[in-house]
């Protein structure tokens, strides 16, 4: 991480875990442990937990995010939630384009782009996920693929709006598998994303962009990953469901 140039952000992605009672308990357990963080701390929780977590996190340094939002403002989109519905609740962040959405829910680079634009227009901060599948890495197309995902997702995003974007590099083969990218692999792809953004916008814009790593980041490996110059934080799945583990990662990012 390079604190002089950009913000370090540790975000938990709870995925489809925790009912309201459990969510409240987890946030309450986290509050004191992360109170002295020298990085931004975010928890991205299921829609049904948002209200509970917003209220439990009040007065703390924990910020709250959702895990998706739709690109239309309202209408006949059964099962979807709009960006405005989130901001109206006080939600600050939203994860867009997570690989699980791309894999299981038909999310494409185009719909990711539409959701990014809608979320930014509504005033949300976006955690945009990109990353290659194992076969892509084995075929040697990681760089092209991640650059392409980044370019399409950011189409139409202004340099001003880019200030509200965080990119999370999440190699799909590392998510929930216990197989972490090496610190060098993570740094390499993060640097490549930064170079892509520099090309699309400007070098200063790219230097100011927070680029996280995600994929089996945990209490044990966080320090090494975060020591890399282009790894500006983490998007944490499994390890964000345990207050102690999450706090260790936040501490590592605060060094
Ligand atoms: P993981 O998930 O930390 O459980 O691998 C990361 C993510 O999917 O954001």
């Amino acid at each position: 991480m390079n604190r002089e140039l950009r913000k370090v952000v540790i975000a938990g992605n709870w995925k489809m875990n925790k009912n309201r009672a459990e969510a409240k308990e987890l946030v309450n357990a986290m509050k004191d442990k992360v109170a002295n963080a020298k990085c931004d701390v975010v928890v991205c929780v299921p829609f049904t937990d948002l209200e509970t977590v917003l209220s439990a996190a009040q007065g703390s340094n924990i910020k709250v995010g959702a895990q998706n939002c739709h690109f239309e403002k309202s209408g006949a989109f059964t099962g979807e939630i709009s960006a405005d519905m989130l901001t109206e609740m006080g939600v600050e962040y939203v994860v867009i384009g997570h690989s699980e959405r791309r894999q299981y829910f038909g999310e494409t680079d185009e719909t990711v782009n539409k959701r990014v634009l809608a979320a930014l227009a509504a005033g949300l901060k976006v955690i945009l996920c990109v990353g290659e599948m194992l076969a892509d890495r084995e075929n040697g197309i990681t760089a092209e693929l991640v650059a392409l995902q980044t370019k399409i997702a950011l189409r139409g995003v202004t340099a001003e709006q880019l200030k509200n974007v965080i990119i999370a590099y999440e190699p799909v083969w590392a998510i929930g598998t216990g197989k972490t990218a090496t610190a060098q692999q993570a740094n390499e792809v993060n640097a490549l994303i930064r170079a892509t953004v520099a090309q699309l916008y400007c070098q200063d814009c790219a230097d100011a962009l927070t680029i996280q790593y995600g994929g089996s980041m945990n209490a044990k490996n966080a320090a090494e990953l975060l020591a890399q110059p282009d790894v500006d934080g983490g998007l944490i799945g499994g390890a964000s469901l345990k207050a102690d583990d999450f706090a260790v990662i936040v501490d590592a990012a605060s060094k």
Side-chain angles (χ1 to χ4, degrees):
M1 50 197 169
N2 187 332
R3 224 179 267 287
E4 275 160 40
L5 292 176
R6 47 197 171 254
K7 252 192 208 167
V8 175
V9 182
I10 296 295
N13 173 13
W14 290 8
K15 309 193 179 185
M16 195 173 71
N17 292 294
K18 305 289 175 191
N19 63 27
R20 288 177 301 169
E22 293 162 344
K24 188 173 173 186
E25 195 184 338
L26 179 56
V27 171
N28 283 335
M30 276 176 184
K31 276 199 278 196
D32 285 352
K33 296 183 201 288
V34 303
N36 298 317
K38 290 199 189 70
C39 62
D40 283 7
V41 180
V42 185
V43 290
C44 299
V45 308
F47 291 128
T48 48
D49 288 338
L50 284 170
E51 194 153 25
T52 303
V53 169
L54 280 163
S55 121
Q58 233 169 46
S60 80
N61 58 332
I62 299 177
K63 296 169 177 159
V64 181
Q67 300 171 9
N68 185 29
C69 71
H70 197 255
F71 41 82
E72 294 295 343
K73 281 181 112 46
S74 63
F77 300 100
T78 303
E80 292 290 321
I81 301 281
S82 77
D84 288 334
M85 288 172 178
L86 297 175
T87 51
E88 190 264 342
M89 295 183 78
V91 171
E92 231 183 296
Y93 287 81
V94 65
V95 177
I96 303 277
H98 190 279
S99 65
E100 284 148 21
R101 303 246 18 120
R102 296 178 191 253
Q103 263 182 297
Y104 308 133
F105 302 100
E107 201 74 64
T108 64
D109 287 330
E110 281 69 29
T111 58
V112 168
N113 174 239
K114 286 164 91 168
R115 287 177 210 262
V116 166
L117 292 173
L120 290 172
L124 289 165
K125 296 191 174 88
V126 169
I127 301 176
L128 162 66
C129 302
V130 296
E132 82 287 3
M133 314 268 276
L134 185 58
D136 303 324
R137 181 161 281 268
E138 286 171 352
N139 286 327
I141 57 168
T142 299
E144 286 97 325
L145 191 96
V146 172
L148 195 70
Q149 286 177 341
T150 305
K151 284 183 190 172
I152 299 177
L154 293 178
R155 203 158 47 195
V157 173
T158 66
E160 194 52 36
Q161 287 178 317
L162 186 70
K163 293 176 185 160
N164 285 324
V165 176
I166 292 170
I167 296 182
Y169 165 55
E170 298 206 310
V172 179
W173 47 270
I175 294 177
T177 57
K179 261 195 229 162
T180 321
T182 63
Q184 195 200 337
Q185 284 171 328
N187 194 62
E188 206 172 274
V189 181
N190 279 28
L192 178 141
I193 293 169
R194 201 178 308 286
T196 304
V197 171
Q199 211 182 60
L200 288 176
Y201 296 88
C202 68
Q203 189 60 51
D204 284 354
C205 312
D207 285 341
L209 178 71
T210 299
I211 306 180
Q212 300 172 318
Y213 167 79
S216 299
M217 192 190 267
N218 58 39
K220 289 208 177 85
N221 60 26
E224 194 191 349
L225 287 158
L226 293 166
Q228 299 298 312
D230 279 301
V231 178
D232 312 313
L235 184 56
I236 326 292
S240 74
L241 297 172
K242 294 186 196 122
D244 285 332
D245 288 15
F246 191 60
V248 170
I249 299 171
V250 168
D251 278 349
S254 298
K255 295 263 153 64

